[in-house]
Amino acid sequence: EAAVTQSPRSKVAVTGGKVTLSCHQTNNHDYMYWYRQDTGHGLRLIHYSYVADSTEKGDIPDGYKASRPSQENFSLILELASLSQTAVYFCASSGGYQDTQYFGPGTRLLVL
Amino acid sequence: QQKVQQSPESLSVPEGGMASLNCTSSDRNFQYFWWYRQHSGEGPKALMSIFSDGDKKEGRFTAHLNKASLHVSLHIRDSQPSDSALYFCAATSITGNTGKLIFGLGTTLQVQP
């Protein structure tokens, strides 16, 4: 089974602070994704990457940056956290653009 | 408007019964479908994909796709309490190479012992 891990698993942040969420995969996958999950909105794509050192904007990129320093690692950065960014964040990886996406366990972020 | 719409929002079936979930895409570019299942406190896990018209069966799970109407269904035979979860339908584009998934809002399935 493909393995995707996320850290931290939960975090409390202050409004205006910087938050970094990390994702690590051991699947040798080229594609990695960041989604957020909110009640009433399902899962929405924030950023994705199909090769190291390159990232692309998803459907809701505003307020978020992404970094892919290596094939295995993909980070999501909130430079100035806001209340509206309280959500559960999921990282996923896949071997190709029509392949199964394997999700991590999620990070529960609370911005106060 | 939500590009991928699911129904019903919630569903309760008895153990051993059949659960049927529905999904429709409103964008003809998004006609490759996935079903994901999410147990409470966990990440979504793919159940199956279906890209061609007709049925696809994997164990107790059967998906049916009608490309003309962009409608896909998931049927769970002999439902078990462990099937209680949030089920997402997701669609990906037939063009481009992003792998971007558009998710529906989900159907909550409760299997009563």
Side-chain angles (χ1 to χ4, degrees), chain B residues 30-104:
Chain B
F30 287 82
Q31 53 177 271
Y32 290 164
F33 291 91
W34 296 83
W35 285 100
Y36 280 80
R37 179 166 77 178
Q38 183 180 29
H39 286 107
S40 182
E42 299 179 4
K45 184 174 180 179
L47 288 173
M48 60 196 305
S49 63
I50 184 164
F51 297 170
S52 302
D53 272 317
D55 292 337
K56 183 176 181 181
K57 184 177 179 182
E58 293 188 7
R60 296 185 293 109
F61 299 88
T62 300
H64 176 81
L65 174 59
N66 181 325
K67 277 196 170 183
S69 61
L70 294 180
H71 179 264
V72 62
S73 57
L74 178 69
H75 305 278
I76 306 172
R77 173 179 56 83
D78 187 25
S79 297
Q80 301 298 307
S82 59
D83 293 326
S84 297
L86 180 58
Y87 288 76
F88 287 109
C89 171
T92 191
S93 177
I94 59 173
T95 61
N97 61 353
T98 68
K100 183 170 88 168
L101 284 173
I102 303 294
F103 283 83

Side-chain angles (χ1 to χ4, degrees), chain A residues 1 9 31 33 35 37 40-43 45 48 59 90 97-101 103-105, chain B residues 32 34 36 38 41-46 51 88 96-105:
Chain A
E1 174 93 1
R9 292 294 314 277
Y31 286 74
Y33 307 85
Y35 294 88
Q37 183 173 25
H41 288 281
L43 287 116
L45 181 66
Y48 65 99
D59 294 323
F90 289 100
Y97 63 92
Q98 287 184 0
D99 290 346
T100 300
Q101 290 187 23
F103 283 76
Chain B
Y32 290 164
W34 296 83
Y36 280 80
Q38 183 180 29
E42 299 179 4
K45 184 174 180 179
F51 297 170
F88 287 109
N97 61 353
T98 68
K100 183 170 88 168
L101 284 173
I102 303 294
F103 283 83
L105 298 184

Side-chain angles (χ1 to χ4, degrees), chain A residues 12-29:
Chain A
V12 179
V14 295
T15 305
K18 182 176 181 178
V19 176
T20 300
L21 308 182
S22 300
C23 178
H24 178 77
Q25 54 103 353
T26 58
N27 308 319
N28 198 32
H29 285 168

Side-chain angles (χ1 to χ4, degrees), chain A residues 42-58:
Chain A
L43 287 116
R44 293 179 291 173
L45 181 66
I46 306 170
H47 285 288
Y48 65 99
S49 168
Y50 50 86
V51 67
D53 294 321
S54 177
T55 64
E56 306 291 335
K57 294 181 179 180

